[in-house]
Amino acid sequence: MIGQTIRDLRKLKKMSQSELAKVVGVSQTTVTAWETGKAEPSSSAISSLADYFNVTTDYLLGRPEKKDDNTKTADIEDDDVIFTYEGRQIPKEDLELIRRIMRGTRNDIK
């Protein structure tokens, strides 16, 4: 997979394997081996390739973009959690109202 990515990036720059080899400091045979999957670049070569092509090493390695997983969850039934809205703590009475709404028992809401 990394070989195909290297090949695609090289072709986008309209470079030969020999030209890329000079940039990275390896032989043309090594670039051919990378592109055909017969060898994989070292970590320093991956870093050089990423710098030269202005991509991330993760991109070269075919890794998906990291998801921003800052999502925090808490169960509304957990009384040890302090729930807030717009920076203010939600009063216990309002939390109980929310719980009843979530359960579908609205008939006792005043």
Side-chain angles (χ1 to χ4, degrees):
M1 177 174 234
I2 190 170
Q4 184 62 50
T5 304
I6 294 169
R7 178 183 295 136
D8 293 344
L9 290 169
R10 177 179 60 78
K11 287 186 175 188
L12 279 173
K13 287 233 183 207
K14 299 181 183 350
M15 299 177 76
S16 69
Q17 288 181 338
S18 297
E19 291 169 323
L20 180 58
K22 287 177 187 171
V23 167
V24 183
V26 297
S27 69
Q28 184 266 325
T29 307
T30 300
V31 173
T32 301
W34 293 344
E35 291 186 1
T36 59
K38 293 179 180 172
E40 293 203 359
S42 66
S43 58
S44 61
I46 290 171
S47 182
S48 294
L49 289 163
D51 288 344
Y52 180 75
F53 289 122
N54 196 29
V55 297
T56 64
T57 55
D58 279 348
Y59 177 83
L60 283 174
L61 295 169
R63 293 182 181 157
E65 288 187 31
K66 185 175 188 238
K67 295 179 182 174
D68 185 16
D69 197 11
N70 290 334
T71 304
K72 296 179 183 170
T73 62
D75 192 308
I76 197 161
E77 294 294 335
D78 187 349
D79 290 326
D80 293 331
V81 175
I82 298 172
F83 290 93
T84 62
Y85 180 72
E86 293 182 341
R88 292 180 294 212
Q89 184 174 346
I90 300 172
K92 296 257 184 223
E93 303 79 31
D94 291 350
L95 280 175
E96 185 53 41
L97 175 63
I98 293 168
R99 288 180 184 122
R100 284 185 288 189
I101 291 170
M102 297 299 290
R103 289 186 201 116
T105 55
R106 295 182 51 139
N107 55 356
D108 56 345
I109 299 173
K110 297 179 181 166

